[in-house]
Structure formats: structure tokens, C-alpha cells
Amino acid sequence: MTSGNAGKKSTPRIHTAAAQLCSFAAATMCLLASCADSGPPLRPAWQQDSHLHYQGVPARAAQTSTTPHMVARVIYAAPAELPRLVERQGDVADNPRGFARMGDGTLDLGLQDVVTGKWIESYLCGGTLFVSGLPNQAYRIVVKNRTPMPLELSIGVDGRDFQSGGPASLRRGSLHVAPRGTLSLDRSAQGPLLFRAVHGEGALFDTSPRGRPGMIHVAAYLASDAPSAGPEKMRPSQIAPLGLFPIGAPEQYR
């Protein structure tokens, strides 16, 4: 005589475990999706708001720093010669068709033709912006500050300082860009900006702060009038769950 559960077949638990695993995977995917869609992406600390430390120190120290936060490089050449330079760079080339996101995302940078106002053909390759420029073509440098902090720029064009006309350097300049602001420049201390005839690949390998013909650099500093109070903090919407890396805008973490 049998009673209770005797004689009955037990239900395998493997299906229950599989269901739990699928449920966990679905929850993880939902969590990742919510991380990608919730609010603005994570940014370097000094770009999050005006009450943060900068590179681990209070912002007031960065306001007087003699080392730029980032340096954006532009190399230009005639249309027939530019592809060879891009190929020598040895990286994937992207055609931005307007502004190019430079470095860690602090700046957007582009060159325009002064006569037509159109963006000049360019390629972002290996962190350098390659621009197709004809000799004596008048151009305009356009810089967009993507951060909520004011910036000060130092620009070198063809080996000469944009503001003084002296030898170019990476010293702090006085070109001021407001938070989220845009700066357009088509005339330096030496006159209108004109592309020069450049031959060879010297500009591609030149790492001197002075630069040379065919090379433009834009050095960005945290402006001296930037806010500098308060401890570092992050908004809840900018904290990645489970310590995962943020999704999207990977150029901001180079």
C-alpha cells in the first residue's frame, strides 16, 4: 500500500534552472539598454559640471596650468597628395563632412572655405584631421567647445603663432571660447588664412610644438575664469550600473 507522493515521478529541476538563467540574461540586457538610453553619456570629470576637480586636482590648479588639456592637430595638403598622407598614417579614415570630434571630445574642429562657406573635405584618421587644401585657398578655422567650462586656446598655423605671428608654441593663449560656444577664425596676425603649397610628409611626423608649413595645432586649456569650487561628484544618471563601462561616445575615453 502506498500513500503520499510515493510512486509519483519527480519533476526534473533542470528546466527551472534554465528558466532562471534566461530570466537573469534578459534582466542583464534590459539593464545594459537602460544604461545606454538614460541621460547623457559619462564624460571626463571636468566636463560634467562646474563644481568638480580636474584630473584629480581642484580646477583652480588647472586654470593656471602650463600643460594643455589636449592638442588637436590638422595636417593639410593638395587634393592629389592628401591620400598618400592618410595612407601613411596607417589607421581607419573617417570623413566627418563638417565638425570632427577631437581627442577626448573636448573640442569639435573643422575648416571652412571662406568664399563659399562650405566645409572643406577632410578625414579624421589616427586622431589627426587631414584637410584637402589648394595653395592660396582662403580658409576659416572653426572650433566648438563641447564642455560646460570656458576654454582658452593657443593656435599655431604653419609654424607661426596665430595671435602674435611669432614662432608657434603650446603656451597658453588668450583666445577665449565660452562654455558650449563656437569660435570662427579666418585672419591671423599675419593676415588672411591661406593654404600654402606643401610637399613631402614632414608635417605628418613633426612633433615639435613649433610645427611647420602644412600643419595647424589647437591647444586647449581650462580658462582662467572657469569656476573652481566644490568636491568631485557625479549625477546618478551618469553612474554605470555594476561597474560596467559606459555605452556610447567611446571617443571621450581615448
Side-chain angles (χ1 to χ4, degrees), residues 94-212:
D94 178 45
N95 180 209
R97 301 182 185 278
F99 276 124
R101 187 72 48 81
M102 304 303 294
D104 64 349
T106 296
L107 296 177
D108 283 347
L109 179 63
L111 271 63
Q112 293 178 335
D113 182 89
V114 170
V115 176
T116 64
K118 295 182 178 180
W119 295 103
I120 300 175
E121 181 181 7
S122 60
Y123 300 89
L124 186 60
C125 181
T128 299
L129 186 63
F130 293 83
V131 177
S132 176
L134 293 170
N136 294 319
Q137 178 183 1
Y139 65 93
R140 177 185 300 115
I141 301 174
V142 187
V143 182
K144 182 178 180 181
N145 178 5
R146 301 189 66 252
T147 80
M149 306 286 273
L151 301 178
E152 289 173 352
L153 307 181
S154 173
I155 300 179
V157 179
D158 296 327
R160 312 304 297 179
D161 183 80
F162 182 89
Q163 293 178 276
S164 69
S169 70
L170 298 181
R171 290 191 298 268
R172 180 183 288 267
S174 59
L175 291 170
H176 192 277
V177 190
R180 310 290 185 189
T182 301
L183 186 65
S184 297
L185 306 164
D186 58 15
R187 190 178 187 87
S188 70
Q190 295 183 299
L193 294 177
L194 303 174
F195 289 128
R196 300 172 61 175
V198 180
H199 303 284
E201 304 172 350
L204 184 61
F205 303 103
D206 193 341
T207 58
S208 168
R210 179 168 179 169
R212 65 169 62 201

